[in-house]
Amino acid sequence: MIEALAALCLFLVFVGTIPTLGSLGQFLLVGWHGIRNHYAHCVDFTPRVAFILPAWNEGAVIGTTIDELMRLDYPAGAWRIYIVDDASTDETPAVMREKMAQYPGSVFHLRRDAGGQGKSHTLNHGLATVLADDWAEAVMIMDADVLFEPLTLRRMTRHLADPAVGAVTAYVKEGSYPGNLITRFIGFEYITGQAAARRAQNVLGALACMAGGAQIHTRTNIEALGGKIDTQSLAEDTFTTFNTQLGGRQTLFDGNAVVWAEEPDSLGMFWKQRLRWARGNLQISRAFTDLWFRPSRHPKLGGFAFGLLWFSIVLMPLCLILSAVGAIGLYFTHPQWAWLGFSGLWGVNLAVYLFMTLFALAIDPQMARRTWREAFLFPGLISLLIMSLFILPPQTGAQHWLAASPVATLFILSWVGLSIPAAWLVYRMERLGAPNWLRDVLLVLVGYGPLMSAVSFAAIVAEWRHADTRWDKTVKTGKARMAR
Amino acid sequence: MSDFDRLLQSDKKAERRLPWCEVAVLVVVTAFMVWRFNWYLTCVFC
């Protein structure tokens, strides 16, 4: 009986490696993108593009965004900018009047009298206007604070000449200047989550999500989607991505097409943004229940590899908590297995951490120069310490030291799950007014990875409780700069 | 060669760098893990 329980606990410990191995599998595909990519099908194609920027109180950023868009390297007169003003109460209308006078015939102000319904409703207002005449051959959906590098539009449209392609998304880089610990963590996360993961998804042939900050669609694709985007969920970008692919049109990521955005610089704003994203992903999981692990529905999105990838991210906190429960159970039922099982778990974690961190830094050397410290601190100092402890050979005495201190042992065994509420506490401390230096010290100890898991767990709880689905906009202040 | 072709060639070259980077990192990490973790394999399999 005890043996069976210990075996179950050992199994639970290794459930904790599923998200890690999922990420590893994805990273192993990145290199293939050097051989298997869409560049062979690219031609010099410059369709007329309508940019749609939803804006609610974006007076601090919208002027700079428009100025940068007007500097694009693209045939004159072949792009227009539509700002959909969601009944802003700040200086947005005044900035728009100035920009329309500065760029006549290129910049348009679409004002909604009643706002506050969320980004998707605002975008749909813009889409209805743009699709009302036949000028636009492609539609760029973006955020009001996103800064385009001059060649980004050309890099995106070159894929659209292929009739199989419905949409292309760019690489959004974190560009806050001067930035802080949180924005640099996000900067590194975007290398792994976009520059790496989305290249791997290109290879797989199924993209999980196009960035809401920069996605271009052919007119055909937008019209096939009904001329509007989903308004029922918090993940309208992912809905659009899935529906495009389910409609038989390819979605692509171009890692060389770069835009810059301002991301949250406080845990409060971070939590609000990520909770929306994570809840959106859960809503997608529910909305497409007939798709997962069913290749007959869609050979790529319904494939085993994509399903495993999707759920290993969505259910990551549950895997980690189960792993901690298994480790504690193992400690009481079969201590020797606990040591071996947990050494194996942390050994896998260490190998994957080293590979992903070093490879991610090599993928984007520009961001690596800014974020390499955060890259190495990503799992948190406590996890790094545990990793180094558990790869020590038994003869170093680490086992004996741990055996002599059950509290320390239990803490270490359960840290993989315990780090999630610990990260939540760091967030709560900031909300309660803790100084930024204390927040940063604690964040470095606990880690940014556990913080992401904590948000995912909160999202699971919120969806479980059917919490209100409302659009919490993150505030942008104009701190983003392009690194030229 | 047009500006477009130059841009495309430069992006293709950037992508072709990825497999080499991946292999190099894999070799380094595997060597480190085998060196540092061989005691574990001995414990489990011997």
Side-chain angles (χ1 to χ4, degrees), chain A residues 8-186:
Chain A
L8 174 67
C9 290
L10 192 61
F11 170 74
L12 290 180
V13 167
F14 282 99
V15 166
T17 61
I18 293 175
T20 313
L21 294 176
S23 303
L24 173 66
Q26 193 167 237
F27 258 66
L28 287 172
L29 289 175
V30 176
W32 285 25
H33 199 261
I35 302 152
R36 189 174 169 182
N37 56 51
H38 191 258
Y39 288 129
H41 304 282
C42 287
V43 296
D44 193 1
F45 182 57
T46 51
R48 293 188 299 273
V49 179
F51 285 75
I52 300 181
L53 290 78
W56 179 65
N57 291 345
E58 303 281 9
V61 296
I62 197 75
T64 309
T65 303
I66 293 171
D67 289 340
E68 292 298 341
L69 285 176
M70 291 311 297
R71 290 191 191 107
L72 287 174
D73 183 340
Y74 206 70
W79 77 105
R80 291 178 180 173
I81 302 164
Y82 294 85
I83 310 297
V84 191
D85 178 357
D86 196 28
S88 296
T89 51
D90 70 345
E91 67 274 23
T92 301
V95 174
M96 285 312 303
R97 278 191 295 277
E98 181 195 327
K99 292 301 166 190
M100 283 197 297
Q102 189 179 350
Y103 307 113
S106 293
V107 177
F108 300 87
H109 183 202
L110 311 177
R111 173 87 176 170
R112 294 184 84 206
D113 293 328
Q117 287 177 291
K119 182 182 172 185
S120 45
H121 286 277
T122 314
L123 278 172
N124 282 340
H125 183 88
L127 282 171
T129 305
V130 164
L131 297 176
D133 64 44
D134 57 4
W135 183 85
E137 295 169 309
V139 177
M140 178 76 80
I141 292 173
M142 60 176 285
D143 289 338
D145 65 306
V146 168
L147 304 176
F148 271 60
E149 290 190 349
L151 288 167
T152 295
L153 180 57
R154 268 184 187 274
R155 283 183 156 121
M156 294 174 83
T157 56
R158 62 189 173 184
H159 299 280
L160 298 182
D162 179 354
V165 176
V168 179
T169 188
Y171 174 20
V172 182
K173 293 196 189 193
E174 207 298 314
S176 297
Y177 184 82
N180 65 7
L181 181 75
I182 297 168
T183 60
R184 287 191 298 273
F185 267 130
I186 295 172

Side-chain angles (χ1 to χ4, degrees), chain A residues 195-217:
Chain A
R198 287 180 182 165
R199 277 188 172 93
Q201 290 163 22
N202 274 352
V203 174
L204 270 180
L207 201 62
C209 181
M210 288 187 287
Q215 51 179 265
I216 191 167
H217 299 259

Side-chain angles (χ1 to χ4, degrees), chain A residues 27-28 31 33-34 39 43-44 155 158 199 256 340 343-344 347 351 354-355 359 362-363 391-394, chain B residues 4 7-8 10-12 14-19 21-22 25-26 28-29 32-33 36-37 39-40 43-44:
Chain A
F27 258 66
L28 287 172
H33 199 261
Y39 288 129
V43 296
D44 193 1
R155 283 183 156 121
R158 62 189 173 184
R199 277 188 172 93
N256 294 298
L340 279 179
S343 293
L354 286 175
F355 169 63
F359 189 27
I363 289 171
I391 59 162
L392 290 176
Chain B
F4 173 80
L7 184 68
L8 188 60
S10 131
D11 289 349
K12 279 181 178 175
E15 293 300 313
R16 280 197 295 268
R17 193 178 61 89
L18 293 177
C21 287
E22 180 168 351
V25 173
L26 268 177
V28 169
V29 172
F32 173 78
M33 290 306 291
R36 204 68 201 85
F37 213 55
W39 69 268
Y40 180 78
C43 278
V44 172

Side-chain angles (χ1 to χ4, degrees), chain A residues 390-461:
Chain A
F390 271 86
I391 59 162
L392 290 176
Q395 55 268 35
T396 57
Q399 280 190 68
H400 300 298
W401 178 78
L402 284 173
S405 173
V407 175
T409 305
L410 281 172
F411 174 79
I412 287 170
L413 291 177
S414 57
W415 178 248
V416 69
L418 208 57
S419 60
I420 295 173
W424 176 78
L425 280 175
V426 179
Y427 153 69
R428 289 302 304 167
M429 281 184 65
E430 189 208 74
R431 299 287 289 162
L432 292 171
N436 287 349
W437 67 265
L438 180 61
R439 174 201 68 194
D440 288 354
V441 167
L442 292 173
L443 188 57
V444 163
L445 279 175
V446 171
Y448 181 84
L451 184 68
M452 291 167 69
S453 295
V455 180
S456 300
F457 188 78
I460 292 169
V461 173

